[in-house]
Amino acid sequence: MADPQASNARPFKVVIVGAGRIGTALALLLRGKPEFEFLLADPTEPGRRRAKDLALPLTEADPANAAQLDRLLTGADAVVAALPSSATPMVAAAARRSGSNYLDLGDDGAALEAVQHEANAAAGCFIAQCGISPGLVSGLVLDLASRCPGLPDIDVRIGALPRTAAGRLGYGLVWDVDATLREYTRASLALVDGRESGLAPLSRCSPLHLGSRDYEVFVSGAIPATLRERLAGKVGNLISHTIRYPGHAEQMAFLLDELKLRDRVYLLRNLFLNALPEITDDRLLISITAASRDADGAPHEHFLREVEPLEIGDAAIGAMRRTAASHVAAVLDLLRLGQIGRQGLLAQEDIPLDLLRENRFLAWFFETPAPVPGRVLQGVHP
């Protein structure tokens, strides 16, 4: 691993494993920055085609081939696993062997435990769960919690949506299908009255109005384990919700429960991949409220953002991918500058929010105009 003090002497070398939409979005953000040198690694035909269309450098190294990965990471300052969570441990193992810094965009689960195990013996800094949530949202939640007196109730609401509702689900292929279905079928890990609790996904559905639009929110996803540990006993409730167009939760309940697809998620996955429209022009909504219990439940602090897609040259980057890639780029930049980094695992909550807010790759996110809040959530009770 290179000495951070030498970051001005030569480019910071980054290997991005996975030339999917998030990997290529990150590459587009780093391209043209002389402080960085990057290379995509992907052996698949879609990856090769995507990199060729965008004129991005790519090698066909297979992440499942340890020898290929080891050669690829020789001399690399950092490796980013822009892959499904199940594939991140093999990249983490290669990062540990090479001494490189490691980042991924995974979620909680067995894969995260494997990455943490590799981090325990790593010489580099391992930063798992980059992106939006987990990732950027962890710092936002900590910031709101620190500014809200007493034991606040915090609601995290996130949604990547088509600009207009598509079909009865009002949804499309915006993000990873497997991750979406995991959030819809697994218990949502949260804090309730300061203690860990598992809530039923798709439950507590209620209306939300932002700007001139109507949405619905329901319990989905999980508060990251490190954030739950950090805030246990320091907040009242900390619950994750998904934002969708009205009617989505009811349609999903029909598919999962009445058609019994909860027990055959692989079939639902195939239906989604074949039937839902591909969405590239998405909108990302992030609404986080912290309400003091001493103020009759009225919102004490509110973070609200609406993100639009970005065009870089002839390439369009959707809003969700733009935000996730910008967070990864900012974390890489902070590593390059030596502003963060330590041997082993670095939790998202340990990255100062002010550093992210001031970083050139992510400053735009904090300056993005927010939609005007309308009606507050109706009928959501702890």
Side-chain angles (χ1 to χ4, degrees):
M1 182 178 64
D3 182 350
Q5 300 302 320
S7 59
N8 293 326
R10 65 165 181 82
F12 192 80
K13 296 182 179 180
V14 179
V15 175
I16 304 169
V17 183
R21 288 182 174 82
I22 188 65
T24 53
L26 174 60
L28 287 169
L29 292 177
L30 296 181
R31 184 165 65 181
K33 303 295 189 295
E35 303 90 348
F36 285 93
E37 177 183 312
F38 69 88
L39 179 65
L40 287 161
D42 193 318
T44 67
E45 175 57 31
R48 291 194 297 269
R49 185 172 61 250
R50 192 174 290 115
K52 181 179 179 181
D53 290 344
L54 297 172
L56 297 170
L58 176 136
T59 179
E60 296 182 15
D62 187 344
N65 187 316
Q68 285 186 352
L69 264 187
D70 288 345
R71 288 193 295 271
L72 190 60
L73 296 189
T74 300
D77 294 287
V79 58
V80 178
L83 298 165
S85 293
S86 59
T88 57
M90 64 184 75
V91 182
R96 186 257 306 158
R97 292 192 299 268
S98 70
S100 303
N101 296 303
Y102 168 87
L103 293 80
D104 69 34
L105 294 104
D107 51 21
D108 283 344
L112 177 60
E113 293 179 5
V115 170
Q116 292 172 330
H117 177 75
E118 298 292 346
N120 291 335
C125 183
F126 274 44
I127 309 176
Q129 300 185 309
C130 296
I132 301 170
S133 180
L136 178 58
V137 164
S138 293
L140 297 174
V141 167
L142 280 182
D143 181 60
L144 290 185
S146 70
R147 293 190 278 115
C148 198
L151 298 177
D153 292 329
I154 302 177
D155 284 303
V156 179
R157 313 177 191 96
I158 304 172
L161 302 162
R163 286 188 176 274
T164 57
R168 292 190 178 186
L169 282 175
Y171 193 60
L173 300 178
V174 179
W175 196 241
D176 180 65
V177 170
D178 295 311
T180 300
L181 291 177
R182 282 197 299 271
E183 292 190 353
Y184 285 3
T185 56
R186 291 183 182 178
S188 178
L189 300 179
L191 293 178
V192 176
D193 291 329
R195 297 180 180 180
E196 289 209 5
S197 180
L199 303 177
L202 302 177
S203 64
R204 306 189 184 196
C205 185
S206 296
L208 173 69
H209 188 80
L210 293 176
S212 60
R213 297 192 180 219
D214 289 316
Y215 306 95
E216 68 181 18
V217 294
F218 49 82
V219 170
S220 174
I223 301 298
T226 52
L227 186 59
R228 297 197 307 270
E229 292 170 4
R230 187 74 59 96
L231 291 179
K234 298 178 181 178
V235 299
N237 301 312
L238 175 56
I239 300 174
S240 171
H241 304 81
T242 291
I243 303 173
R244 292 288 185 261
Y245 287 115
H248 182 89
E250 183 179 4
Q251 294 293 335
M252 285 304 308
F254 170 75
L255 292 170
L256 290 168
D257 299 323
E258 293 192 36
L259 294 188
K260 310 298 183 185
L261 293 178
R262 187 180 300 276
D263 299 323
R264 294 178 291 172
V265 176
Y266 67 92
L267 181 56
L268 182 56
R269 176 184 186 273
N270 289 336
L271 289 172
F272 273 21
L273 288 174
N274 287 286
L276 293 184
E278 183 82 19
I279 305 298
T280 57
D281 189 22
D282 62 316
R283 298 163 53 248
L284 173 65
L285 295 171
I286 299 177
S287 171
I288 307 173
T289 57
S292 173
R293 292 188 169 188
D294 299 329
D296 297 324
H300 182 82
E301 298 288 348
H302 193 187
F303 181 90
L304 184 61
R305 286 294 181 275
E306 179 175 354
V307 180
E308 300 288 339
L310 172 71
E311 287 193 5
I312 300 180
D314 295 330
I317 305 177
M320 194 167 190
R321 296 180 178 98
R322 173 193 182 187
T323 308
S326 294
H327 182 260
V328 177
V331 173
L332 284 170
D333 209 23
L334 296 178
L335 282 169
R336 181 188 67 83
L337 295 169
Q339 293 180 298
I340 62 171
R342 67 185 184 206
Q343 184 175 332
L345 192 68
L346 180 69
Q348 292 294 332
E349 298 79 35
D350 292 326
I351 302 175
L353 187 63
D354 285 344
L355 291 180
L356 293 173
R357 185 183 286 116
E358 296 165 3
N359 187 269
R360 56 179 171 164
F361 288 106
L362 202 56
W364 66 267
F365 173 79
F366 295 93
E367 298 166 356
T368 298
V372 178
R375 296 190 304 276
V376 184
L377 282 174
Q378 304 291 326
V380 171
H381 302 288

